[in-house]
Amino acid sequence: MARVAESELKQLAQDLGVKLQARQWRVATAESCTGGLVGQLLTSLPGCSSWFERGFITYSNVSKQEMLDVSATTLETFGAVSEETASEMAKGALMHSHAHVSLSITGIAGPDGGTREKPVGLVCYGWALSDGTAMTSTCRLSGDREEVRTRAAAAALRGLIEFVA
């Protein structure tokens, strides 16, 4: 699988910005394994202050609980890398912001940290609207740490673009 080109990431960010601006919506991001990459992509665009509300980088379980209200039970039962956690992260980003829509990413970028049940490259996403609508997805990405992170960011942006379509 080819690397995600910087131009593709920038185009996805621009496409999302156009959709959000057309609706007069603002977005919040909740990122774990991508460490703020989506937020960086969105805020690199001129004029993003009209549609980017804020970003949360919640790498540790404690930060997911404190900043996004992810429940300890969810983390203990399903783990940090799960659709259940991704869903709570996306909903928490909305609760703790003035955004209309959010996205979340949690995964195992590697090269360490994977298990048989949750291998390196496993990434879970969440998307939520302020009306309560939510969606999650999981995929397994290949590549080194940077490739997993950029592919995860691209997939999260594609998912949000479709979600708000």
Side-chain angles (χ1 to χ4, degrees), residues 46-68:
C48 68
S49 60
S50 67
W51 50 266
F52 182 80
E53 212 281 320
R54 71 182 73 184
F56 299 89
I57 301 172
T58 56
Y59 208 76
S60 71
N61 285 354
V62 170
S63 66
K64 289 173 179 67
Q65 291 174 289
E66 290 178 352
M67 297 174 73
L68 301 172

Side-chain angles (χ1 to χ4, degrees), residues 19-143:
K19 287 192 177 295
L20 294 173
Q21 245 179 337
R23 288 186 165 77
Q24 298 184 331
W25 282 2
R26 296 170 69 79
V27 65
T29 61
E31 300 181 68
S32 185
C33 67
T34 49
L37 179 57
V38 172
Q40 186 276 325
L41 290 166
L42 298 179
T43 59
S44 72
L45 299 174
C48 68
S49 60
S50 67
W51 50 266
F52 182 80
E53 212 281 320
R54 71 182 73 184
F56 299 89
I57 301 172
T58 56
Y59 208 76
S60 71
N61 285 354
V62 170
S63 66
K64 289 173 179 67
Q65 291 174 289
E66 290 178 352
M67 297 174 73
L68 301 172
D69 294 329
V70 174
S71 79
T73 301
T74 297
L75 291 166
E76 290 167 15
T77 304
F78 302 102
V81 180
S82 65
E83 288 190 21
E84 292 81 2
T85 295
S87 179
E88 288 188 25
M89 288 172 65
K91 292 171 184 174
L94 285 178
M95 282 190 330
H96 294 282
S97 72
H98 301 280
H100 303 90
V101 63
S102 67
L103 68 79
S104 68
I105 307 170
T106 183
I108 305 165
D112 302 320
T115 65
R116 179 183 290 280
E117 297 80 26
K118 294 185 179 184
V120 169
L122 185 72
V123 181
C124 299
Y125 308 91
W127 301 274
L129 293 174
S130 55
D131 70 2
T133 304
M135 184 174 79
T136 60
S137 179
T138 299
C139 69
R140 173 112 186 256
L141 303 171
S142 62

